[in-house]
């Protein structure tokens, strides 16, 4: 009887870098309620991606009571589909408002340190020293694939974010372009921030790292137009600062992933030296009745519950954006990495 030789996927952790024996697919998603079934997590696990990134609203706590945050994490831990994903795939995470603590909150949330402790305890990041060394939960990791380095940067868009400018007067929000009541206006003051100066300085150091592809994970959408809800466009100077940082560092092959909005879409902005793509996947269990206007939308929207995949094939010099629902593949777009280079 001949022996069957099976391919073995080997994973090593070396000084904060994950080394995979074969293949690279980064799956991700957001907006999952701990009391729901979360069947899409098992579907994502079935694909055996190299990693899965939770992009925020990983639980719905919405509270000023730390015990309620802890209880929500305990409920997620008991979810069978979450357990399947955790057994199958290395997990990475950042947070958004509902798991950070409260709807649309920023740096003034009083329980942010307690929330950070519970986040860290639950997700057990591969390099917890990163989180212990600074305020907030921003992190970065590097994967090696076929001799190429792929960088994952997880931003924290909550701990340091300035207050939003709420619309108070009805006359300010009346606009037929928006088929809904907008909540916020853009903030143009120079001291307003999404990331805070400490995280911006850290991000500049990460951008300096050489990599074949850099994935920047943001809980809120980066590449959409202003729509009156939470996006980077509420802080246009910060949005511009990100593009300028990438350009000033001559950093090529940067792509964004995001969540938050309860639908999926692929957006592209051209306010940098090369186009910046943002693949949004939301939500794993939560849904929304409509998609906000977005002149930068390239594909979508996909309104069903979904998760996203970035498929990176350096030997083909290509990157593929994918969105899956329970019914299967719903969005696919492949670009050449040449498009993400300085001309």
């Amino acid at each position: 009887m001949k022996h069957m030789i099976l391919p073995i996927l080997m994973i090593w952790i070396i000084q904060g870098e994950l080394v995979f024996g074969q293949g690279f697919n980064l799956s991700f998603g957001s907006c999952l309620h701990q009391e729901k079934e979360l069947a899409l997590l098992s579907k994502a696990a079935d694909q055996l991606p190299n990693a899965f990134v939770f992009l925020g609203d990983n639980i719905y706590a919405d509270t000023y009571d730390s015990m309620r945050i802890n209880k929500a994490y305990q409920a997620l831990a008991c979810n069978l589909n979450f357990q399947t994903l955790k057994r199958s795939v290395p997990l990475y995470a950042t947070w958004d408002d509902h798991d950070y603590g409260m709807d649309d909150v920023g740096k003034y949330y009083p329980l942010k340190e307690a929330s950070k402790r519970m986040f860290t305890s639950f997700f057990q990041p591969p390099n917890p020293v990163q989180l212990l060394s600074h305020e907030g939960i921003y992190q970065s990791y590097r994967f090696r694939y076929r001799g190429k380095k792929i960088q994952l940067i997880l931003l924290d868009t909550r701990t340091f974010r300035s207050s939003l400018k709420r619309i108070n007067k009805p006359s300010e929000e009346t606009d037929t372009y928006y088929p809904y009541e907008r909540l916020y206006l853009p903030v143009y003051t120079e001291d307003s921030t999404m990331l805070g100066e400490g995280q911006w300085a850290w991000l500049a150091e990460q951008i300096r790292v050489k990599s074949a592809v850099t994935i920047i994970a943001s809980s809120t959408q980066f590449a959409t137009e202003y729509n009156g809800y939470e996006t980077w466009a509420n802080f246009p100077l910060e949005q511009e600062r990100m593009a300028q940082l990438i350009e000033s560092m001559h950093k090529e092959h940067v792509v964004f992933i995001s969540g938050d909005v309860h639908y999926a879409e692929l957006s592209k902005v051209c306010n940098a030296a090369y186009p910046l793509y943002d693949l949004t996947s939301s939500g794993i269990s939560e849904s929304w009745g409509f998609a906000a206007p977005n002149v930068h939308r390239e594909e979508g929207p996909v309104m069903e519950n979904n998760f996203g995949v970035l498929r990176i094939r350096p030997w083909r010099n290509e990157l593929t954006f994918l969105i899956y629902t329970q019914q299967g593949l719903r969005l696919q777009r492949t670009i050449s990495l040449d498009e993400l280079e300085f001309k």
Side-chain angles (χ1 to χ4, degrees):
M1 179 177 179
K2 294 183 179 180
H3 295 287
M4 182 179 296
I5 301 176
L6 299 176
I8 299 175
L9 173 62
M10 300 187 70
I11 302 176
W12 301 267
I13 299 180
I14 303 175
Q15 297 179 347
E17 296 190 8
L18 296 183
V19 186
F20 290 93
Q22 52 182 303
F24 191 89
N25 290 275
L26 184 81
S27 295
F28 59 95
S30 65
C31 304
L32 51 152
H33 197 289
Q34 65 276 3
E35 301 295 342
K36 296 186 178 181
E37 184 182 5
L38 309 181
L40 275 174
L41 295 184
S42 288
K43 190 174 183 69
D46 289 342
Q47 294 189 0
L48 295 177
N50 298 95
F52 189 97
V53 179
F54 287 96
L55 285 171
D57 293 343
N58 309 315
I59 55 171
Y60 279 72
D62 294 304
T63 184
Y64 290 101
D65 180 352
S66 61
M67 293 299 294
R68 288 187 62 182
I69 300 175
N70 186 54
K71 185 177 180 180
Y73 276 123
Q74 290 177 4
L76 181 58
C78 293
N79 182 282
L80 296 180
N81 289 299
F82 176 80
Q83 291 174 9
T84 296
L85 182 67
K86 186 177 180 180
R87 285 194 304 267
S88 307
V89 181
L91 302 183
Y92 300 83
T94 186
W95 58 22
D96 201 31
D97 50 347
H98 296 287
D99 45 351
Y100 174 63
M102 203 72 185
D103 187 34
D104 292 356
V105 292
K107 65 181 180 180
Y108 296 111
Y109 180 62
L111 298 181
K112 59 184 178 182
E113 287 303 319
S115 186
K116 175 181 175 177
R117 288 193 298 271
M118 287 179 277
F119 171 94
T120 306
S121 175
F122 182 80
F123 283 107
Q124 299 180 347
N127 187 0
V129 175
Q130 286 193 75
L131 298 187
L132 296 175
S133 64
H134 57 71
E135 187 181 3
I137 62 164
Y138 51 88
Q139 314 149 64
S140 69
Y141 300 94
R142 292 186 294 277
F143 308 83
R144 274 189 281 174
Y145 168 56
R146 292 199 174 189
K148 303 291 186 180
K149 288 186 179 180
I150 298 170
Q151 183 182 29
L152 172 65
I153 298 174
L154 301 171
L155 299 180
D156 180 348
T157 63
R158 289 293 158 186
T159 303
F160 312 97
R161 200 215 67 203
S162 299
S163 297
L164 299 167
K165 184 179 181 181
R166 183 172 286 276
I167 294 174
N168 295 315
K169 299 178 182 179
S171 60
E172 287 186 274
E173 62 84 23
T174 302
D175 191 327
T176 57
Y177 182 67
Y178 305 98
Y180 51 85
E181 182 178 340
R182 291 176 294 146
L183 300 178
Y184 306 110
L185 291 171
V187 179
Y188 288 94
T189 54
E190 291 189 0
D191 61 347
S192 62
T193 186
M194 280 286 286
L195 303 183
E197 288 305 314
Q199 187 173 186
W200 274 115
W202 169 85
L203 179 58
E205 291 300 316
Q206 303 309 310
I207 293 294
R208 288 190 179 95
V209 174
K210 292 183 179 180
S211 59
V213 177
T214 295
I215 303 160
I216 299 180
S218 169
S219 65
T220 55
Q221 291 182 292
F222 174 77
T224 59
E225 66 172 312
Y226 163 77
N227 59 30
Y229 291 149
E230 282 202 286
T231 73
W232 275 74
N234 287 334
F235 298 92
L237 299 181
E238 293 285 89
Q239 201 174 27
E240 181 181 350
R241 183 175 181 176
M242 178 69 78
Q244 290 177 346
L245 177 63
I246 292 169
E247 187 168 354
S248 66
M249 297 290 186
H250 207 75
K251 183 73 168 180
E252 297 183 326
H253 304 161
V254 174
V255 63
F256 289 79
I257 57 175
S258 61
D260 178 51
V261 293
H262 300 181
Y263 53 87
E265 63 182 356
L266 177 65
S267 304
K268 180 178 77 172
V269 291
C270 298
N271 57 353
Y274 60 80
L276 296 177
Y277 284 89
D278 179 3
L279 182 60
T280 301
S281 174
S282 176
I284 289 171
S285 69
E286 304 308 285
S287 58
W288 197 243
F290 60 88
N294 180 13
V295 296
H296 305 304
R297 183 181 293 131
E298 292 278 301
E299 302 283 351
V302 176
M303 304 305 297
E304 299 93 341
N305 294 141
N306 61 83
F307 66 91
V309 178
L310 282 185
R311 177 169 297 155
I312 302 170
R313 297 290 182 261
W315 79 93
R316 295 180 182 171
N317 199 41
E318 70 179 27
L319 186 153
T320 301
F321 305 97
L322 303 129
I323 293 292
Y324 290 89
T325 69
Q326 198 63 49
Q327 289 68 44
L329 181 63
R330 284 295 312 278
L331 183 157
Q332 182 174 355
R333 174 82 169 270
T334 298
I335 64 170
S336 169
L337 289 175
D338 293 343
E339 188 177 347
L340 308 181
E341 294 178 354
F342 294 92
K343 303 299 187 281

